[in-house]
Amino acid sequence: MAGKPGPRVSASPSPSAEPPISYLDAPGGARLAYVAQPGRGPTVVFLGGYASDMTGTKARYLEDWCRARNHAFVRFDYQGHGRSSGRLIDGTIGAWRNDALAVVAACTRGPLLLVGSSMGAWVMVLAALAMRERIHGLVGVAAAPDFTEDLLWDRLDAAQRAALQRDGALHLPSAYGEPMPFGWRLVEDGRHHLVLRAPLDLPGPVRLLHGTQDADVPWHTSMRLADAINDRDVAVTLVKDGGHRLSEPHELSLLGATVASLL
């Protein structure tokens, strides 16, 4: 019996100094940009944060790190991010989890080591629950599970909550440039994917890195995630004076060492 045709994948021209960017026409209509580097397994998959993209420092560091060791590696843009289709304001946690699952299904085989940064660690947890048999290990960097409820909605005053529900979007000041947009659909959908409210039966091992001076996501969030995970092979490393991005040279070296410890 013939199966369903798989998602269409096409390559786009890229500058010679850049690895080729490919595109995946995923279920649901999103066109997702990704870079897949061949190598031995487990495949390292990087999941970026909210409003970030696959050209960030940590993603590129891990790509180079994996290339030097002949490990397979994948980075990609969720819909509404970077080179992928869609608008950030229309995105939801569920849609971005599905993006991750689509890229993994189309571009990888065998065991996976997922590395999730900030919101990407929430997506990482949801993806791992959906394909636990393929998970070799998980690494969270400044993990922000449940951020739509605990770090967004809970911090809004009554007027901001009313505006978000009435207008469907709210722009909040950001330390990274222009005000950051957040959609009401993001908050509503996030409530269907909360992971810190009950014990988590996650495939391990799990390693979590968090800066003690993270002004966006308190390091206690990684401790809450560690406490929620049933498996005992979970470790949290606090980086003294580290901020949210954890992209300083010594912090990137720690990330590489953490990934190496699981591979």
Side-chain angles (χ1 to χ4, degrees):
M1 179 183 295
K4 294 181 179 179
R8 297 201 314 275
V9 177
S10 59
S12 69
S14 300
S16 57
E18 293 288 320
I21 296 175
S22 300
Y23 289 89
L24 164 66
D25 291 328
R31 193 163 196 254
L32 306 176
Y34 71 92
V35 173
Q37 173 180 286
R40 59 192 173 97
T43 301
V44 178
V45 180
F46 183 80
L47 302 108
Y50 184 78
S52 184
D53 63 42
M54 64 174 171
T55 65
T57 304
K58 291 185 289 294
R60 299 304 296 271
Y61 171 84
L62 282 178
E63 181 177 60
D64 293 341
W65 190 95
C66 287
R67 182 183 299 112
R69 293 158 179 80
N70 192 34
H71 269 290
F73 176 80
V74 174
R75 56 185 169 96
F76 70 98
D77 287 331
Y78 310 109
Q79 56 189 282
H81 292 70
R83 294 178 179 239
S84 291
S85 66
R87 301 189 308 161
L88 175 64
I89 198 67
D90 296 326
T92 63
I93 300 301
W96 295 328
R97 174 207 55 195
N98 293 342
D99 291 346
L101 294 175
V103 170
V104 164
C107 307
T108 71
R109 298 291 182 271
L112 305 165
L113 194 155
L114 304 183
V115 180
S117 175
S118 192
M119 181 197 75
W122 189 1
V123 176
M124 172 187 78
V125 168
L126 296 173
L129 292 172
M131 51 179 182
R132 61 179 61 251
E133 71 285 349
R134 294 191 59 188
I135 300 302
H136 178 81
L138 304 172
V139 178
V141 183
D146 298 8
F147 86 92
T148 55
E149 197 69 15
D150 299 336
L151 303 179
L152 177 59
W153 182 255
D154 282 356
R155 294 182 177 182
L156 299 179
D157 59 32
Q160 290 173 315
R161 290 182 177 185
L164 179 57
Q165 292 176 290
R166 180 187 67 245
D167 303 332
L170 188 68
H171 289 73
L172 297 176
S174 169
Y176 307 108
E178 296 295 320
M180 192 73 71
F182 296 96
W184 172 238
R185 289 183 62 228
L186 176 68
V187 175
E188 280 192 305
D189 177 80
R191 290 170 176 164
H192 297 291
H193 300 290
L194 301 176
V195 295
L196 297 180
R197 272 62 181 172
L200 272 173
D201 186 18
L202 269 185
V206 180
R207 302 292 180 264
L208 303 172
L209 311 178
H210 216 122
T212 60
Q213 297 302 313
D214 189 334
D216 298 306
V217 183
W219 59 264
H220 305 87
T221 305
S222 281
M223 299 301 297
R224 288 180 63 200
L225 177 57
D227 287 342
I229 298 171
N230 284 327
D231 196 283
R232 295 182 62 85
D233 194 357
V234 180
V236 179
T237 299
L238 296 180
V239 182
K240 183 178 180 180
D241 296 331
H244 185 60
R245 290 183 169 179
L246 290 182
S247 293
E248 295 298 321
H250 69 286
E251 295 163 346
L252 295 173
S253 294
L254 173 62
L255 175 58
T258 303
V259 169
S261 72
L262 296 183
L263 290 175

